[in-house]
Amino acid sequence: MNNEDIKRQIVEALASGKLQPTNIIIGDQIQHQHNIGKVEAGGIGVQIMQPGTSSIARPKENDYNGVREYIEQRKAQDAVFKTYCKSHTRKQICERLSDEFGWTVDAHNLGVNIGRNR
């Protein structure tokens, strides 16, 4: 199957209503729960976001400025995530983000970064 066939199938699925994503991101920087990264040269990367997910760029591993900014942006865009943050500890939030990012978000390191940026 070539790139044109894939594009055609995606368009057909959208047009028929079989595929009803909230957001579609097409490009070479596709993210996934375990961060796929760059799509192979000449390939097509498609990320279909389900309702309640965010198109905010995920931070790189150990980038705690990025994690702090991600949390703030996501709270501004995602009411469910904002409520989760209000009702859970920093450690629990870090565990959830670790699952989403595919790398361990350390609660202590995040706390230090938050303290530095108040």
Side-chain angles (χ1 to χ4, degrees):
M1 180 177 289
N2 64 35
N3 289 347
E4 292 305 315
D5 291 336
I6 294 170
K7 288 178 189 177
R8 184 179 39 74
Q9 286 185 353
I10 291 169
V11 170
E12 288 173 1
L14 290 169
S16 70
K18 292 178 183 174
L19 186 61
Q20 298 178 346
T22 310
N23 298 306
I24 299 176
I25 300 169
I26 299 176
D28 67 352
Q29 288 293 330
I30 306 303
Q31 302 253 339
H32 183 265
Q33 182 175 356
H34 300 290
N35 194 7
I36 295 169
K38 281 197 166 254
V39 175
E40 185 176 317
I44 297 176
V46 177
Q47 179 177 4
I48 300 174
M49 307 288 290
Q50 298 301 321
T53 62
S54 173
S55 61
I56 302 167
R58 292 183 176 155
K60 293 180 181 172
E61 188 168 353
N62 297 318
D63 174 10
Y64 287 93
N65 279 324
V67 174
R68 178 181 44 79
E69 292 168 0
Y70 175 91
I71 291 169
E72 291 307 314
Q73 290 175 8
R74 180 134 174 224
K75 287 194 303 189
Q77 294 181 14
D78 183 345
V80 173
F81 184 75
K82 183 177 182 177
T83 301
Y84 181 89
C85 289
K86 286 181 179 179
S87 61
H88 290 78
T89 65
R90 182 181 302 133
K91 182 178 178 183
Q92 291 169 320
I93 295 167
C94 287
E95 289 170 355
R96 176 176 172 163
L97 292 176
S98 295
D99 289 341
E100 291 180 22
F101 298 163
W103 56 272
T104 301
V105 178
D106 183 87
H108 174 74
N109 290 345
L110 179 59
V112 169
N113 186 278
I114 290 169
R116 284 188 195 139
N117 291 282
R118 285 194 174 159

